[in-house]
Amino acid sequence: METILSPHSFCPLLNPKTSSPKSLLSASLQPRSKSHSTTKPISCSLKKQLPQSINQSLPIPKTWFSHVQHGLAALALSLALNFCPILNSGSAFASEFDVLSDGPPEETYVVDDAGVLSRVTKSHLKRLLSDLESRKNFHINFITVRKLTSKADAFEYADQVLERWYPTIEDGSNKGIVVLVTSQKEGAITGGPDFVKAVGDSILDATVSENLPVLATEEKYNEAVYSSAKRLVAAIDGLPDPGGPQFKDNKRESNFKTKEETEEKRGQFTLVVGGLLVIAFVVPMAQYYAYVSKK
């Protein structure tokens, strides 16, 4: 019984180190007095194993904390994507300087820097202007910008774009540039010699003074651009001028009455007040007289 319950018989189970049969045998033959002194290593081994079992149960709060960190990171990313504007690449959201350096658009006829044109308008412009180029060999580009910082007005900027995009007369003779500045509600049209001759000065001036500024003032930018394109195409094709919108007379009528109306109203008011005063005094006196006469 002593050999079976001796602490050294359990040591191979508690200690990962392997023990030889000879050491086991010697441990089992030791007297009882020495077996009490060997109980400390067993208790020490148990104390060392206890923190390991506790550490194995601690990953739960650590895993919960990592989930919270991932959730906060996802929330921050979602807020950043929702509230921070993401600018699309390409000429649609370029600056006025990028418009100059990027050159004319290859697939479309529009550089919408201001971002005010719809997809439908761009599609209609592409269809209309591509048909004009295939029939008459005239190429027209439309540019919208929010504001100008490099040039004083839209005409100077339009001339700068034409010279930068088409530096030679051969390249720019049949080209036209239409610029619309949304913040200033103004526009400009320029082009090469053949383009100006085909459209005519009267149509150019009318488009700049009617279609672009009038509709831009009403913030109808899609209609301003598309109506200008149809007017230029009709002039090149030799068709009648469809005309353009006119500035509306926003003159408001005055709410103040004229002098004659005031005098007329004053006379009527005096007559009504006088009649009420007469009634207020005469009627009580007549009643009193009738009452006294009966007595």
Side-chain angles (χ1 to χ4, degrees):
M1 293 297 293
E2 292 179 0
T3 57
I4 295 174
L5 298 176
S6 176
H8 284 281
S9 62
F10 293 95
C11 289
L13 298 175
L14 300 173
N15 195 350
K17 295 182 180 180
T18 59
S19 301
S20 61
K22 187 181 289 185
S23 63
L24 293 174
L25 181 61
S26 61
S28 63
L29 295 176
Q30 288 179 355
R32 183 180 296 179
S33 61
K34 292 182 180 180
S35 65
H36 290 286
S37 63
T38 58
T39 57
K40 285 185 178 181
I42 296 176
S43 62
C44 293
S45 63
L46 290 175
K47 289 180 180 179
K48 291 181 180 179
Q49 290 179 357
L50 184 59
Q52 292 179 0
S53 62
I54 295 176
N55 291 334
Q56 290 177 359
S57 63
L58 287 178
I60 294 176
K62 188 179 292 185
T63 305
W64 174 82
F65 184 71
S66 63
H67 283 307
V68 172
Q69 285 182 329
H70 289 302
L72 292 176
L75 179 61
L77 181 60
S78 177
L79 292 175
L81 292 176
N82 288 332
F83 293 99
C84 295
I86 300 177
L87 298 180
N88 297 332
S89 59
S91 61
F93 290 92
S95 67
E96 58 177 301
F97 303 101
D98 294 332
V99 171
L100 293 172
S101 60
D102 291 344
E106 297 179 357
E107 298 180 357
T108 63
Y109 297 82
V110 181
V111 179
D112 188 18
D113 170 56
V116 294
L117 300 181
S118 64
R119 293 183 179 180
V120 177
T121 301
K122 293 178 182 179
S123 177
H124 289 171
L125 284 173
K126 182 178 180 180
R127 187 182 302 111
L128 178 65
L129 298 178
S130 61
D131 178 69
L132 174 68
E133 187 174 10
S134 63
R135 293 185 296 101
K136 299 291 185 177
N137 196 26
F138 284 102
H139 186 96
I140 306 175
N141 292 310
F142 282 81
I143 303 172
T144 66
V145 293
R146 294 181 181 88
K147 61 180 180 179
L148 296 176
T149 58
S150 60
K151 296 297 179 182
D153 56 16
F155 288 96
E156 293 184 10
Y157 183 71
D159 292 335
Q160 186 181 14
V161 172
L162 181 65
E163 294 174 0
R164 182 69 64 87
W165 286 4
Y166 311 105
T168 62
I169 298 179
E170 291 77 10
D171 293 336
S173 180
N174 62 337
K175 304 298 189 303
I177 301 293
V178 182
V179 175
L180 175 63
V181 185
T182 58
S183 63
Q184 301 174 2
K185 312 298 183 185
E186 66 175 5
I189 302 176
T190 187
D194 293 342
F195 172 79
V196 174
K197 182 179 179 180
V199 177
D201 294 335
S202 60
I203 299 299
L204 292 175
D205 295 338
T207 305
V208 171
S209 60
E210 296 174 359
N211 297 75
L212 294 176
V214 173
L215 296 173
T217 302
E218 300 175 1
E219 295 186 355
K220 298 178 180 179
Y221 303 113
N222 291 276
E223 186 178 353
V225 171
Y226 191 61
S227 64
S228 300
K230 292 193 298 182
R231 196 168 187 178
L232 295 176
V233 171
I236 294 175
D237 288 336
L239 300 176
D241 181 24
Q246 302 293 329
F247 278 106
K248 294 180 180 179
D249 188 7
N250 295 326
K251 199 178 202 181
R252 297 181 179 178
E253 296 182 359
S254 177
N255 294 326
F256 297 100
K257 298 183 182 297
T258 61
K259 185 178 180 180
E260 292 77 9
E261 292 177 348
T262 304
E263 293 294 336
E264 182 180 358
K265 294 292 182 181
R266 183 179 298 174
Q268 295 177 358
F269 178 76
T270 303
L271 181 61
V272 171
V273 173
L276 292 175
L277 289 175
V278 170
I279 293 174
F281 283 101
V282 172
V283 171
M285 292 178 64
Q287 291 178 350
Y288 178 75
Y289 179 76
Y291 177 75
V292 173
S293 62
K294 287 182 180 179
K295 288 184 177 183

